[in-house]
Amino acid sequence: MQQGGGSESEVTWEDQQNINKFSRLNNRFHELEDEIRTAKETNDNLEDASNELILSDEDVIRFHIGEVFAHVPREEVEGRLEEMKEENVKNLEKLEEEKDSIVAQMAELKRILYGKFKDSINLEDD
């Protein structure tokens, strides 16, 4: 459809679906960035806890379980911290993979939508 002196492409149902998909992916991308940042902070905190445990000379350590602190043998705390770090690293890798997948999908949608609408559409974060 032509209006005035500018040229605008008609938005088809498929185009609208692509725009909606891009929007959902963009929202998920930002959620993932927050989740990744939180996972990295958790990883740093677990690493700090491991380092503090190394410096500690106590045989029984106060360990946070749920909403309480319990006295737990040092070896058990070391094992739990390692398990928590491994679990967190796996979660972080999974989040990074999902983020990479979303970036690739968004790039493809940008190519399609900018190819059709050129400057009439803005898909960039400001």
Side-chain angles (χ1 to χ4, degrees):
M1 126 178 39
Q2 294 259 333
Q3 293 180 338
S7 64
E8 292 187 16
S9 299
E10 184 176 330
V11 179
T12 64
W13 183 84
E14 183 179 327
D15 296 332
Q16 188 61 53
Q17 294 306 310
N18 284 338
I19 293 167
N20 292 344
K21 183 176 182 180
F22 182 87
S23 177
R24 285 190 305 272
L25 288 171
N26 191 42
N27 287 339
R28 181 62 183 145
F29 173 79
H30 290 292
E31 289 172 2
L32 281 171
E33 284 186 325
D34 290 340
E35 289 177 31
I36 289 169
R37 186 174 25 262
T38 301
K40 286 180 179 179
E41 289 172 5
T42 300
N43 202 34
D44 290 343
N45 291 339
L46 289 170
E47 193 62 42
D48 290 345
S50 291
N51 292 339
E52 288 294 323
L53 189 60
I54 290 170
L55 297 175
S56 174
D57 59 351
E58 298 178 22
D59 292 332
V60 177
I61 308 295
R62 290 182 346 146
F63 190 74
H64 190 241
I65 302 173
E67 296 182 13
V68 300
F69 285 92
H71 292 280
V72 180
R74 179 188 194 95
E75 295 78 26
E76 186 176 337
V77 172
E78 289 172 349
R80 286 188 184 192
L81 282 174
E82 285 304 316
E83 288 174 11
M84 292 167 74
K85 285 196 290 189
E86 289 173 11
E87 182 179 314
N88 195 58
V89 167
K90 287 178 186 176
N91 182 43
L92 187 57
E93 289 172 356
K94 184 181 126 204
L95 292 173
E96 291 283 359
E97 287 174 9
E98 184 178 351
K99 181 181 170 186
D100 292 343
S101 170
I102 285 176
V103 167
Q105 291 176 58
M106 288 173 65
E108 178 63 19
L109 287 170
K110 278 183 182 182
R111 186 188 64 74
I112 292 168
L113 293 170
Y114 279 133
K116 180 168 184 179
F117 296 108
K118 301 190 183 7
D119 292 338
S120 299
I121 191 169
N122 181 12
L123 301 174
E124 303 301 322
D125 286 334
D126 294 333

